[in-house]
PDB file of all heavy atoms in Angstrom:
ATOM      1  N   PHE A   6       7.969  -1.584 -22.801  1.00 76.00           N
ATOM      2  CA  PHE A   6       7.540  -1.802 -21.426  1.00 76.00           C
ATOM      3  C   PHE A   6       6.155  -1.203 -21.199  1.00 76.00           C
ATOM      4  O   PHE A   6       5.268  -1.849 -20.641  1.00 76.00           O
ATOM      5  CB  PHE A   6       8.567  -1.172 -20.485  1.00 76.00           C
ATOM      6  CG  PHE A   6       8.212  -1.278 -19.037  1.00 76.00           C
ATOM      7  CD1 PHE A   6       8.356  -2.471 -18.354  1.00 76.00           C
ATOM      8  CD2 PHE A   6       7.746  -0.169 -18.354  1.00 76.00           C
ATOM      9  CE1 PHE A   6       8.045  -2.566 -17.022  1.00 76.00           C
ATOM     10  CE2 PHE A   6       7.419  -0.258 -17.015  1.00 76.00           C
ATOM     11  CZ  PHE A   6       7.568  -1.452 -16.345  1.00 76.00           C
ATOM     12  N   ILE A   7       5.960   0.018 -21.660  1.00 74.00           N
ATOM     13  CA  ILE A   7       4.668   0.697 -21.524  1.00 74.00           C
ATOM     14  C   ILE A   7       3.588  -0.069 -22.291  1.00 74.00           C
ATOM     15  O   ILE A   7       2.473  -0.253 -21.798  1.00 74.00           O
ATOM     16  CB  ILE A   7       4.755   2.165 -22.014  1.00 74.00           C
ATOM     17  CG1 ILE A   7       5.689   2.974 -21.108  1.00 74.00           C
ATOM     18  CG2 ILE A   7       3.395   2.808 -22.105  1.00 74.00           C
ATOM     19  CD1 ILE A   7       5.226   3.104 -19.676  1.00 74.00           C
ATOM     20  N   ASN A   8       3.917  -0.547 -23.483  1.00 77.00           N
ATOM     21  CA  ASN A   8       2.954  -1.306 -24.282  1.00 77.00           C
ATOM     22  C   ASN A   8       2.514  -2.586 -23.574  1.00 77.00           C
ATOM     23  O   ASN A   8       1.333  -2.927 -23.559  1.00 77.00           O
ATOM     24  CB  ASN A   8       3.530  -1.629 -25.661  1.00 77.00           C
ATOM     25  CG  ASN A   8       3.661  -0.402 -26.540  1.00 77.00           C
ATOM     26  OD1 ASN A   8       3.061   0.639 -26.281  1.00 77.00           O
ATOM     27  ND2 ASN A   8       4.471  -0.507 -27.575  1.00 77.00           N
ATOM     28  N   VAL A   9       3.473  -3.306 -22.985  1.00 81.00           N
ATOM     29  CA  VAL A   9       3.146  -4.546 -22.275  1.00 81.00           C
ATOM     30  C   VAL A   9       2.276  -4.235 -21.061  1.00 81.00           C
ATOM     31  O   VAL A   9       1.275  -4.915 -20.810  1.00 81.00           O
ATOM     32  CB  VAL A   9       4.432  -5.305 -21.868  1.00 81.00           C
ATOM     33  CG1 VAL A   9       4.114  -6.447 -20.908  1.00 81.00           C
ATOM     34  CG2 VAL A   9       5.149  -5.832 -23.100  1.00 81.00           C
ATOM     35  N   ALA A  10       2.652  -3.194 -20.316  1.00 77.00           N
ATOM     36  CA  ALA A  10       1.855  -2.805 -19.152  1.00 77.00           C
ATOM     37  C   ALA A  10       0.425  -2.480 -19.574  1.00 77.00           C
ATOM     38  O   ALA A  10      -0.536  -2.883 -18.916  1.00 77.00           O
ATOM     39  CB  ALA A  10       2.499  -1.604 -18.449  1.00 77.00           C
ATOM     40  N   HIS A  11       0.287  -1.781 -20.693  1.00 74.00           N
ATOM     41  CA  HIS A  11      -1.037  -1.434 -21.196  1.00 74.00           C
ATOM     42  C   HIS A  11      -1.825  -2.691 -21.577  1.00 74.00           C
ATOM     43  O   HIS A  11      -3.028  -2.792 -21.313  1.00 74.00           O
ATOM     44  CB  HIS A  11      -0.910  -0.490 -22.392  1.00 74.00           C
ATOM     45  CG  HIS A  11      -2.222  -0.002 -22.895  1.00 74.00           C
ATOM     46  ND1 HIS A  11      -2.984   0.922 -22.213  1.00 74.00           N
ATOM     47  CD2 HIS A  11      -2.935  -0.326 -24.014  1.00 74.00           C
ATOM     48  CE1 HIS A  11      -4.090   1.150 -22.887  1.00 74.00           C
ATOM     49  NE2 HIS A  11      -4.090   0.411 -23.981  1.00 74.00           N
ATOM     50  N   GLU A  12      -1.165  -3.656 -22.163  1.00 79.00           N
ATOM     51  CA  GLU A  12      -1.827  -4.900 -22.587  1.00 79.00           C
ATOM     52  C   GLU A  12      -2.284  -5.743 -21.403  1.00 79.00           C
ATOM     53  O   GLU A  12      -3.216  -6.537 -21.538  1.00 79.00           O
ATOM     54  CB  GLU A  12      -0.901  -5.720 -23.487  1.00 79.00           C
ATOM     55  CG  GLU A  12      -0.683  -5.110 -24.863  1.00 79.00           C
ATOM     56  CD  GLU A  12      -1.987  -4.915 -25.638  1.00 79.00           C
ATOM     57  OE1 GLU A  12      -2.840  -5.825 -25.630  1.00 79.00           O
ATOM     58  OE2 GLU A  12      -2.143  -3.843 -26.247  1.00 79.00           O
ATOM     59  N   ILE A  13      -1.652  -5.586 -20.262  1.00 81.00           N
ATOM     60  CA  ILE A  13      -2.043  -6.351 -19.078  1.00 81.00           C
ATOM     61  C   ILE A  13      -3.366  -5.836 -18.507  1.00 81.00           C
ATOM     62  O   ILE A  13      -4.103  -6.577 -17.858  1.00 81.00           O
ATOM     63  CB  ILE A  13      -0.922  -6.305 -18.011  1.00 81.00           C
ATOM     64  CG1 ILE A  13       0.325  -7.018 -18.551  1.00 81.00           C
ATOM     65  CG2 ILE A  13      -1.368  -6.939 -16.703  1.00 81.00           C
ATOM     66  CD1 ILE A  13       1.539  -6.865 -17.669  1.00 81.00           C
ATOM     67  N   CYS A  14      -3.697  -4.591 -18.784  1.00 75.00           N
ATOM     68  CA  CYS A  14      -4.926  -3.991 -18.244  1.00 75.00           C
ATOM     69  C   CYS A  14      -6.181  -4.769 -18.648  1.00 75.00           C
ATOM     70  O   CYS A  14      -7.061  -5.002 -17.812  1.00 75.00           O
ATOM     71  CB  CYS A  14      -5.060  -2.537 -18.695  1.00 75.00           C
ATOM     72  SG  CYS A  14      -3.924  -1.423 -17.861  1.00 75.00           S
ATOM     73  N   ALA A  15      -6.277  -5.163 -19.904  1.00 70.00           N
ATOM     74  CA  ALA A  15      -7.485  -5.849 -20.382  1.00 70.00           C
ATOM     75  C   ALA A  15      -7.724  -7.169 -19.655  1.00 70.00           C
ATOM     76  O   ALA A  15      -8.828  -7.399 -19.124  1.00 70.00           O
ATOM     77  CB  ALA A  15      -7.416  -6.057 -21.891  1.00 70.00           C
ATOM     78  N   PRO A  16      -6.718  -8.075 -19.552  1.00 82.00           N
ATOM     79  CA  PRO A  16      -6.983  -9.316 -18.819  1.00 82.00           C
ATOM     80  C   PRO A  16      -7.269  -9.085 -17.332  1.00 82.00           C
ATOM     81  O   PRO A  16      -8.065  -9.814 -16.739  1.00 82.00           O
ATOM     82  CB  PRO A  16      -5.720 -10.154 -18.999  1.00 82.00           C
ATOM     83  CG  PRO A  16      -4.807  -9.401 -19.871  1.00 82.00           C
ATOM     84  CD  PRO A  16      -5.423  -8.098 -20.223  1.00 82.00           C
ATOM     85  N   MET A  17      -6.648  -8.070 -16.742  1.00 82.00           N
ATOM     86  CA  MET A  17      -6.930  -7.794 -15.332  1.00 82.00           C
ATOM     87  C   MET A  17      -8.383  -7.371 -15.152  1.00 82.00           C
ATOM     88  O   MET A  17      -9.042  -7.764 -14.195  1.00 82.00           O
ATOM     89  CB  MET A  17      -5.996  -6.710 -14.779  1.00 82.00           C
ATOM     90  CG  MET A  17      -4.617  -7.211 -14.410  1.00 82.00           C
ATOM     91  SD  MET A  17      -4.583  -8.688 -13.373  1.00 82.00           S
ATOM     92  CE  MET A  17      -5.527  -8.195 -11.957  1.00 82.00           C
ATOM     93  N   THR A  18      -8.883  -6.588 -16.085  1.00 75.00           N
ATOM     94  CA  THR A  18     -10.289  -6.187 -16.038  1.00 75.00           C
ATOM     95  C   THR A  18     -11.181  -7.415 -16.178  1.00 75.00           C
ATOM     96  O   THR A  18     -12.214  -7.522 -15.514  1.00 75.00           O
ATOM     97  CB  THR A  18     -10.588  -5.158 -17.152  1.00 75.00           C
ATOM     98  OG1 THR A  18      -9.718  -4.042 -16.974  1.00 75.00           O
ATOM     99  CG2 THR A  18     -12.017  -4.694 -17.101  1.00 75.00           C
ATOM    100  N   MET A  19     -10.753  -8.363 -17.007  1.00 79.00           N
ATOM    101  CA  MET A  19     -11.522  -9.594 -17.202  1.00 79.00           C
ATOM    102  C   MET A  19     -11.483 -10.488 -15.955  1.00 79.00           C
ATOM    103  O   MET A  19     -12.359 -11.325 -15.772  1.00 79.00           O
ATOM    104  CB  MET A  19     -10.998 -10.368 -18.416  1.00 79.00           C
ATOM    105  CG  MET A  19     -11.154  -9.612 -19.733  1.00 79.00           C
ATOM    106  SD  MET A  19     -12.858  -9.102 -20.074  1.00 79.00           S
ATOM    107  CE  MET A  19     -13.617 -10.673 -20.366  1.00 79.00           C
TER     108      MET A  19
END
Side-chain angles (χ1 to χ4, degrees):
F6 178 76
I7 294 297
N8 290 343
V9 169
H11 185 73
E12 289 302 317
I13 295 172
C14 287
M17 280 310 303
T18 302
M19 297 304 291

